[in-house]
Amino acid sequence: MLTTLKTAYTDTRAHDLAWDLGRAPLPALACMDVELDGTHVQLRLLGASHQVLLGDDFGGCCETVACLPGSSTPLPLGVSKRFTGWEYEFAARVERLSPSSFSGRAQELLALVADHPNGFAGTFPGAPSAFTALLVQRHEGQIRWRTWHSYPQEGSLVSTRTRVATRARRGTGGAPGPEGASVIPLRRGPAMA
């Protein structure tokens, strides 16, 4: 689904994005609810950023990639976390493209997401290459999503991949809590592989 966000595009930058897991839902410009084999997923467009909320069978997970004032967690290259009942993996990449490559890539991604039943993208009035797009799927007990955040004024495209999987519970269970985590900072600069 493709929507036009009812707000002007602001001059944010790719390096302004931060990552957070567990933040409360922020005010959204647009939302899309998806049901994936009994798991509720809400895709939330926050402008040049996003939130993805998962149902309770995945610990009520809430991923945020946004410009978060006062955040001390910049957008990492990768994150891996284990909780009592589920695992979370996140990866991010920043591409720098020429103006002609950027426009073509933006249109390609918007067409991909708009035509997918679990795709959701928002563009800004008067700035068709400025968008945030999300695509979510369920496969073999995992929920996976991809996101794209475009910054046409600097020719940057930020893409993320997330995988959340349930794990067999050991012992008596209880509330999910971190068992281990690793965070790899995102390198700034030219396109990363």
Side-chain angles (χ1 to χ4, degrees):
M1 182 170 92
L2 184 59
T3 187
T4 300
L5 302 173
K6 294 184 180 5
T7 188
Y9 181 69
T10 57
D11 192 23
T12 58
R13 305 275 178 207
H15 71 270
D16 293 335
L17 287 176
W19 167 86
D20 188 86
L21 185 63
R23 180 176 291 267
L26 297 170
L29 297 173
C31 297
M32 179 175 155
D33 292 302
V34 178
E35 205 60 40
L36 298 172
D37 295 331
T39 298
H40 181 80
V41 181
Q42 186 175 72
L43 307 175
R44 301 170 60 83
L45 299 176
L46 311 177
S49 51
H50 80 265
Q51 279 189 312
V52 176
L53 282 64
L54 290 183
D56 290 337
D57 50 338
F58 284 92
C61 175
C62 178
E63 173 188 281
T64 304
V65 172
C67 301
L68 302 170
S71 175
S72 60
T73 307
L75 190 64
L77 175 62
V79 175
S80 178
K81 289 187 176 239
R82 291 182 153 200
F83 297 90
T84 303
W86 52 284
E87 298 174 347
Y88 172 90
E89 291 179 4
F90 171 88
R93 176 181 172 189
V94 177
E95 294 178 80
R96 301 248 189 247
L97 303 166
S98 69
S100 61
S101 295
F102 185 89
S103 179
R105 181 81 170 124
Q107 295 312 307
E108 179 182 279
L109 287 169
L110 286 172
L112 169 77
V113 173
D115 291 341
H116 195 283
N118 299 328
F120 189 41
T123 60
F124 294 86
S129 292
F131 67 90
T132 300
L134 301 94
L135 193 148
V136 64
Q137 301 177 35
R138 183 170 186 142
H139 180 69
E140 297 180 359
Q142 299 178 359
I143 304 290
R144 297 177 181 192
W145 61 88
R146 303 244 359 232
T147 74
W148 298 272
H149 305 256
S150 75
Y151 300 91
Q153 75 281 9
E154 63 181 20
S156 294
L157 182 66
V158 178
S159 57
T160 72
R161 287 182 187 265
T162 302
R163 180 189 72 86
V164 181
T166 57
R167 298 187 325 139
R169 292 187 181 254
R170 296 186 176 112
T172 58
E179 292 179 2
S182 60
V183 176
I184 303 166
L186 181 64
R187 294 179 296 236
R188 305 291 179 205
M192 295 180 284

